[in-house]
Structure formats: C-alpha cells, structure tokens
Amino acid sequence: QALTAMAKNVGKLNQGRPLRMLEVGSWVGESAVALLGGAPSDSRIYCVDHWEGCPSDWTCHIAREVDVWNWFVKNTEDLLGTSIFPVKGDSVQAAQDMGDSQELDLIFIDADHEKASVTADIQAWLRHLAPKGVLCGHDYRAEFPGVVEALEELLGPLGLTPSRIHGTTVWFVTKTAIDQARAKLVTTTTAPQVILADPQKPILDPTVAANRA
C-alpha cells in the first residue's frame, strides 16, 4: 500500500502522465506490481536484479533452493514486456550500461541493505532521476543500519534527511529538494564531492531493458 501511494503521489507531481520508474532489487515482483498499481495508465517500470539474493542476508539462501527468477516471471507475466521490463544483472553495471540520464520519475532502492551497497546503488542511479523525480527506498529503520548510515552520509552534507511515509519504513527524497540544497551550498561555500550529478539526456528505450533480461 505504501508503494502504491508513493507512485500515486509521484503521478500527481507529473500531472498524471505515464511514469517511467525503476527499482533496484525486484525479487519476486511484488513491489513492481504495487508501484504500477498506483501509477497512471501506461506507466512502466524497469526491474533491476540478478535474482541471486544478497550474501548479507537470508535471500541468498532462498535463491539456492528456489528459482526466484521464475517466481518473479510468474508474478509479473501479464505485465512483462508492456509495463514491466526486467534488467537482469548487477545494479551498478546496469546503471553504467544505460549510459546517459534516463529521466526516471521514480527510483526505488531495495536491494542489498549493507551500507556500501546502498551507497553504490544510490550513487549509480541518482543521475538517472528526472527533475521532478523521487528517489525512495525501503527499510529506513534501526534494524538496517546500513540503509540509515548510507542515507545520512549521502544526504547529510546537503543538509537533508529523507522523509518517510507515515507508519512505514519507506523513505523518500525529491530531486527538487536535492537540487535546491545543492544550489544553496554553491552560493555559500564550495560544494563537497557528494556524487549527486545528473546530466539531463534522452529516455531509455524500453527494448534495451527488455533485451537485457
């Protein structure tokens, strides 16, 4: 419900036009379906995952016993190739392979929750966020210190802290807030090297993502 509400609000920010979304860490596809459930008609989401689980938690053990990729396909098969486009592989490499900024309206981070991995995912994908886009993720709570610490270190130098959807552990920050904070830093002092660059260039051809699956 939280993700559906998030996508609905991002849709409102974009005047109800179809959204271009991406999630890092799709697992069995439930979050992708939830995001599409709140997005305007004809929205699409790119699902980045290797479907092998994370060595830092229980998911890698499940992946050894169960074909998680097949599970994902079964849960999303009615939407594959039309609204859902899997990008199978490493998150950081996928972000690099996509090249120029993809103008994504919503990016949802929910893969490996270790600090280094969360940091790497945000660094890799933030440049693909559209000017009115929203960066968000899951498990912003004490039980996952890697998520909390990564966000504090990346956003803290900008004077930002992520917001949370009430009653959930879903966090978010808008591209507008990031840009305004960066602009304020530039006018007061030399901006720190906080890796929040975002060149604005063409949108991803969905066939590129589909062909990577």
Side-chain angles (χ1 to χ4, degrees), residues 123-173:
Q123 288 177 337
W125 289 105
L126 189 56
R127 70 186 183 86
H128 292 295
L129 194 62
K132 292 184 179 180
V134 173
L135 175 71
C136 54
H138 197 217
D139 290 324
Y140 184 67
R141 53 177 168 161
E143 292 85 350
F144 293 97
V147 175
V148 176
E149 292 170 11
L151 289 168
E152 287 178 347
E153 291 193 9
L154 290 172
L155 298 178
L158 295 175
L160 297 175
T161 56
S163 300
R164 280 197 298 186
I165 296 179
H166 180 69
T168 77
T169 62
V170 175
W171 60 267
F172 66 93
V173 61

Side-chain angles (χ1 to χ4, degrees), residues 98-145:
M98 287 183 182
D100 297 332
S101 173
Q102 302 304 325
E103 297 277 334
L104 297 165
D105 301 301
L106 184 152
I107 298 175
F108 180 63
I109 307 292
D110 190 25
D112 191 332
H113 285 14
E114 291 293 299
K115 178 183 172 181
S117 295
V118 177
T119 299
D121 286 336
I122 293 175
Q123 288 177 337
W125 289 105
L126 189 56
R127 70 186 183 86
H128 292 295
L129 194 62
K132 292 184 179 180
V134 173
L135 175 71
C136 54
H138 197 217
D139 290 324
Y140 184 67
R141 53 177 168 161
E143 292 85 350
F144 293 97

Side-chain angles (χ1 to χ4, degrees), residues 4 11 17-18 51 81 84 86 99 101 108 122 124 179 181 187 196 204:
T4 299
R17 66 165 174 76
W51 286 276
I84 292 180
S101 173
F108 180 63
I122 293 175
D179 287 344
T187 60
L196 298 183
L204 171 70

Side-chain angles (χ1 to χ4, degrees), residues 34-51:
L35 286 165
L36 283 172
S41 299
D42 298 322
S43 295
R44 57 189 58 181
I45 184 166
Y46 306 100
C47 297
V48 181
D49 205 318
H50 45 53
W51 286 276

Side-chain angles (χ1 to χ4, degrees), residues 67-86:
D67 187 341
V68 182
W69 164 250
N70 188 54
W71 195 354
F72 169 86
V73 170
K74 287 182 178 179
N75 285 340
T76 61
E77 59 185 352
D78 293 339
L79 301 170
L80 284 176
T82 56
S83 300
I84 292 180
F85 299 91

Side-chain angles (χ1 to χ4, degrees), residues 53-64:
C54 301
S56 61
D57 62 30
W58 50 267
T59 56
C60 65
H61 302 292
I62 291 179
R64 294 191 190 106

